[in-house]
């Protein structure tokens, strides 16, 4: 079995310590961080996701897999950063109110930091008021919202409304993403940008900050 398969397998069984060791071994063997992330960690997470959907595994198994994912990804963080990047802007990020899924949000954060953005992480279950207050207090150019549930993605519309109400809509861009989110939803709620993955989110954020 290849080391990337081993990472995927152990992640699916929630063996965080083994995943961490294997990720370090893969790095030492010269496998690229992108390949370890996509073909090892995310592969395992996708398989767990499919099993969760089919009721083959349940919340506790998914939680331990998520923990293993986050521990493995933390080792890749410095390697995903572009060499010699300087401060390119400031953003705040969080998973919307009612939603506790943070793996995708953490990846977006990691990629953005890798591109030199200063990222204020508001965590999960973030209210529209929290995003807007943080953007005002910290002078953020972008508010980034992640949602994984069809029942929570509508909170993103409230973020847009709160930003308008606070009079900052023309100063702050609002970026959205997460599995159920689409470009047409982005247009429908009046947000500025939908991106399907973490690396395109980071690129779009840098482009926004540079155009400010
Ligand atoms: Co949840 N869950 N979950 N879950 N969970 C999903 C999302 C689900 C699709 C599973 C399923 O049934 N097929 C389903 C949602 C169905 C729906 O809404 N239509 C679901 C459900 C139902 C639930 C609960 C309600 C289950 C229950 O309790 N009965 C519950 C809700 C809790 C809550 O949030 N209030 C729940 C709980 C959980 C756990 C806590 C067990 C755990 C989360 C742990 C954690 O995050 N720390 C969990 C997990 C792990 C999943 C799955 C299996 C995996 C999600 C994930 O991390 N994917 C998921 C099934 C699936 O997606 N296949 C599922 C990997 C991650 C890298 O992808 O987050 O999509 P993702 O991020 C991507 C892109 O979307 C993008 O970049 C990333 C990749 O580069 N992206 C952005 C994300 N945010 C972005 C922001 C951007 C731009 C791009 O700009 C700002």
């Amino acid at each position: 079995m290849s080391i990337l398969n081993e990472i995927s397998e152990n992640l699916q069984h929630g063996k965080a310590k083994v995943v961490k060791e294997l990720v370090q071994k893969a790095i030492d063997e010269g496998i690229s961080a992108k390949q370890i992330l996509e073909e090892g960690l995310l592969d395992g997470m996708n398989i767990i996701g499919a099993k969760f959907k089919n009721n083959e595994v349940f919340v506790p198994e998914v939680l331990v897999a998520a923990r293993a994912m986050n521990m493995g990804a933390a080792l890749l963080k410095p390697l995903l950063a572009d060499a010699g990047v300087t401060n390119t802007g400031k953003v705040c990020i969080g998973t919307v109110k009612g939603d506790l899924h943070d793996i995708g949000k953490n990846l977006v954060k990691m990629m953005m930091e890798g591109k030199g953005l200063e990222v204020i992480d508001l965590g999960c279950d973030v209210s529209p008021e929290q995003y807007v207050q943080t953007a005002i207090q910290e002078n953020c150019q972008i508010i980034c919202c992640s949602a994984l549930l069809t029942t929570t993605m509508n909170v993103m519309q409230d973020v847009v409304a709160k930003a308008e109400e606070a009079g900052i809509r023309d100063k702050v861009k609002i970026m959205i993403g997460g599995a159920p989110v689409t470009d047409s939803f982005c247009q429908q709620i009046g947000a500025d940008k939908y991106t399907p993955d973490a690396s395109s989110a980071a690129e779009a954020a840098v482009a926004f900050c540079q155009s400010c």
Side-chain angles (χ1 to χ4, degrees):
M1 197 193 294
S2 82
I3 189 159
L4 296 175
N5 285 338
E6 275 188 76
I7 291 171
S8 170
E9 284 283 336
N10 281 283
L11 183 142
Q12 291 168 51
H13 292 105
K15 295 187 177 164
K17 196 164 164 265
V18 181
V19 167
K20 210 174 150 192
E21 283 163 10
L22 287 167
V23 168
Q24 188 56 56
K25 193 168 167 226
I27 294 169
D28 295 342
E29 284 179 11
I31 302 174
S32 77
K34 189 169 179 285
Q35 210 179 346
I36 300 170
L37 179 65
E38 286 173 1
E39 294 173 34
L41 297 171
L42 285 177
D43 180 77
M45 216 51 228
N46 286 338
I47 295 170
I48 274 286
K51 288 185 175 168
F52 188 39
K53 189 176 180 181
N54 296 332
N55 290 323
E56 290 169 49
V57 297
F58 300 95
V59 170
E61 287 99 320
V62 181
L63 266 180
V64 287
R67 188 166 161 265
M69 164 84 203
N70 280 332
M71 280 176 75
L75 283 178
L76 299 178
K77 186 176 169 178
L79 303 169
L80 289 166
D82 287 352
V85 285
T86 49
N87 196 326
T88 45
K90 196 171 186 181
V91 315
C92 60
I93 191 167
T95 307
V96 297
K97 189 150 192 61
D99 201 321
L100 302 175
H101 296 85
D102 68 356
I103 297 175
K105 183 267 295 169
N106 291 343
L107 282 180
V108 174
K109 176 188 174 194
M110 202 182 278
M111 293 293 188
M112 287 184 171
E113 287 178 338
K115 292 226 169 271
L117 290 159
E118 186 182 340
V119 184
I120 299 169
D121 187 354
L122 299 169
C124 300
D125 197 19
V126 181
S127 69
E129 292 80 5
Q130 275 175 280
Y131 286 109
V132 170
Q133 279 311 312
T134 307
I136 294 169
Q137 280 159 12
E138 300 287 339
N139 223 2
C140 298
Q141 287 122 303
I142 310 176
I143 291 174
C144 295
C145 307
S146 178
L148 263 286
L149 298 171
T150 45
T151 48
T152 59
M153 60 193 274
N154 289 319
V155 176
M156 292 170 165
Q157 187 161 12
D158 302 336
V159 177
V160 176
K162 273 279 163 236
E164 268 162 16
E165 207 179 294
I168 59 162
R169 191 63 191 93
D170 57 339
K171 298 184 197 80
V172 175
K173 298 286 184 198
I174 299 177
M175 289 180 55
I176 63 171
V181 180
T182 60
D183 197 31
S184 69
F185 177 73
C186 178
Q187 289 171 29
Q188 185 194 317
I189 66 166
D192 295 296
K193 184 81 181 166
Y194 158 75
T195 51
D197 57 57
S199 73
S200 57
E203 278 163 22
V206 170
F208 273 143
C209 290
Q210 283 169 349
S211 68
C212 286

